[in-house]
Amino acid sequence: MSLLLLTKLYPNEIFTADAIAIDAPTLTPQTISPRRSKERNRVAYPDNRFQIRKTKSSDIDAISSMLAMASTTSNDIKLNNWKHRIKYIGIKSSLEKQLHHRWSAIEEGTRIMSRFKNEYSTKYEQYGIEECLLDSEMTCHLLWSNDMFRDKVKSAVTVSSERNAWEGHNFNYTPPSVALFNHIMITVVQKCNNREDVVGFCELAWLPRPRSHESSNEECAPSIVNLITSPMHRRRGIASKLIDVASRYASTQWSNSDTRCSNGRNGDIGLYVHPENKSAFDLYLMKGFQVTAENEDGLLYMTRAS
């Protein structure tokens, strides 16, 4: 099955997101009607609708701010303000650097595949071939032969503080599976007075599952990472919609893209959550996720069929 065949999502799917190793559909951004809130102190906006689109470089400052605040506020509430601020700045700087490196690698991979299709489309059309198809091995070699892309991926992996499927890989060799390139970044924005405010974000990546007692082999699966919404825009269904978008993207674009997934779990999507993060845990349960394992860091691994 070709990973570069232009596939279509369900007819009602209208968000835009790009992955590295596949040519993602370019569709009309989706508008989300927010849920009504009973909170009286919520800020009112002239246009109370949200839009899902692929992440832009200009989004990353706001995204890293939201993630850093979520990482520090609950744990450091008893600290003095200046200590809290210093820790917040350090975390934000680290997250911003990691996100920029990942975004840069995704964009470079997308440009490479777009250039390839544009350059060779004429040659294929003259033979009556509508699509230029590549198998997984050819795709890996095409991407990995580009020095700039290879350097960007290596940089993204090197600065990452999170577990990823690239751990232990020798960057002098072509990756064993095109699935390692699977990574998208999705942003939710609210448009107000010709300005876009970032109010939600998540990543969908190919991550290792926790090792099971039955097998020492490490399997990988599509996983939701860094799901976050702005504190002022919570309880409006934004996180729930991001989960739905990520799940549908994984099931339609990444299905069976890695032979290391086994035990009939190719259709699963996973995520890691801290057991003390009750609000996130409850949301995942409501969305159909179930705890299937616990990793060495004490994080719960939850999965559901995508």
Side-chain angles (χ1 to χ4, degrees):
M1 178 180 177
S2 168
L3 290 177
L4 292 182
L5 179 63
L6 184 63
T7 57
K8 294 183 179 179
L9 299 180
Y10 298 118
N12 63 339
E13 190 65 67
I14 50 176
F15 76 96
T16 302
D18 289 334
I20 288 179
I22 59 178
D23 192 3
T26 301
L27 305 171
T28 307
Q30 179 169 353
T31 299
I32 311 171
S33 297
R35 298 175 180 175
R36 292 184 178 180
S37 174
K38 296 181 180 180
E39 298 181 22
R40 297 181 179 179
N41 295 328
R42 191 179 299 282
V43 177
Y45 290 88
D47 184 2
N48 207 19
R49 295 183 301 170
F50 308 104
Q51 190 179 71
I52 292 179
R53 58 163 171 73
K54 74 170 186 176
T55 298
K56 299 178 181 179
S57 178
S58 56
D59 299 340
I60 293 179
D61 179 70
I63 293 167
S64 57
S65 294
M66 290 191 297
L67 290 170
M69 188 62 67
S71 299
T72 59
T73 302
S74 59
N75 295 328
D76 302 327
I77 193 170
K78 295 181 180 180
L79 295 180
N80 293 329
N81 289 337
W82 67 271
K83 291 183 178 180
H84 175 272
R85 183 64 180 172
I86 290 174
K87 185 172 184 178
Y88 165 80
I89 291 173
I91 293 175
K92 180 180 181 296
S93 176
S94 175
L95 289 168
E96 191 169 4
K97 181 179 181 180
Q98 294 177 55
L99 292 171
H100 267 300
H101 277 283
R102 291 203 285 269
W103 180 89
S104 181
I106 292 171
E107 290 298 302
E108 184 62 29
T110 302
R111 283 193 291 269
I112 293 171
M113 302 315 300
S114 296
R115 285 199 301 268
F116 177 83
K117 293 197 70 177
N118 291 335
E119 290 173 2
Y120 288 90
S121 60
T122 303
K123 292 184 179 181
Y124 281 89
E125 286 175 0
Q126 68 181 350
Y127 295 110
I129 301 175
E130 295 182 357
E131 291 285 351
C132 173
L133 306 180
L134 294 177
D135 59 24
S136 297
E137 185 177 355
M138 292 173 65
T139 301
C140 280
H141 283 290
L142 176 64
L143 288 168
W144 214 241
S145 63
N146 185 287
D147 292 340
M148 182 175 294
F149 174 72
R150 188 171 62 250
D151 290 343
K152 286 180 180 291
V153 172
K154 184 177 181 179
S155 296
V157 174
T158 301
V159 302
S160 177
S161 62
E162 302 164 340
R163 291 198 65 200
N164 58 78
W166 291 89
E167 291 178 358
H169 177 72
N170 186 336
F171 284 87
N172 293 318
Y173 296 97
T174 303
S177 171
V178 72
L180 291 176
F181 299 128
N182 289 345
H183 199 118
I184 63 173
M185 303 170 77
I186 308 170
T187 297
V188 181
V189 297
Q190 182 176 54
K191 292 189 174 182
C192 180
N193 297 327
N194 297 320
R195 186 185 76 243
E196 286 188 342
D197 294 328
V198 175
V199 299
F201 171 76
C202 80
E203 296 177 79
L204 181 64
W206 204 256
L207 297 184
R209 305 174 189 268
R211 289 186 176 88
S212 64
H213 296 293
E214 293 80 13
S215 173
S216 60
N217 295 327
E218 191 169 70
E219 300 172 353
C220 295
S223 303
I224 296 173
V225 188
N226 289 328
L227 176 63
I228 189 73
T229 57
S230 165
M232 294 176 60
H233 296 84
R234 290 173 184 166
R235 302 183 185 277
R236 301 190 184 189
I238 295 175
S240 178
K241 178 59 70 172
L242 280 169
I243 292 172
D244 292 340
V245 167
S247 297
R248 185 174 296 179
Y249 193 93
S251 66
T252 57
Q253 303 297 309
W254 296 355
S255 177
N256 300 317
S257 58
D258 194 313
T259 56
R260 287 178 296 169
C261 288
S262 58
N263 301 328
R265 298 187 296 179
N266 285 359
D268 286 0
I269 185 170
L271 54 84
Y272 288 90
V273 62
H274 197 285
E276 295 182 2
N277 191 345
K278 188 176 185 306
S279 59
F281 182 76
D282 291 343
L283 170 64
Y284 302 146
L285 287 178
M286 182 186 72
K287 298 297 293 184
F289 286 86
Q290 297 294 327
V291 177
T292 58
E294 181 176 345
N295 72 0
E296 59 273 18
D297 298 322
L299 298 178
L300 304 178
Y301 183 69
M302 305 180 73
T303 62
R304 79 168 192 186
S306 59

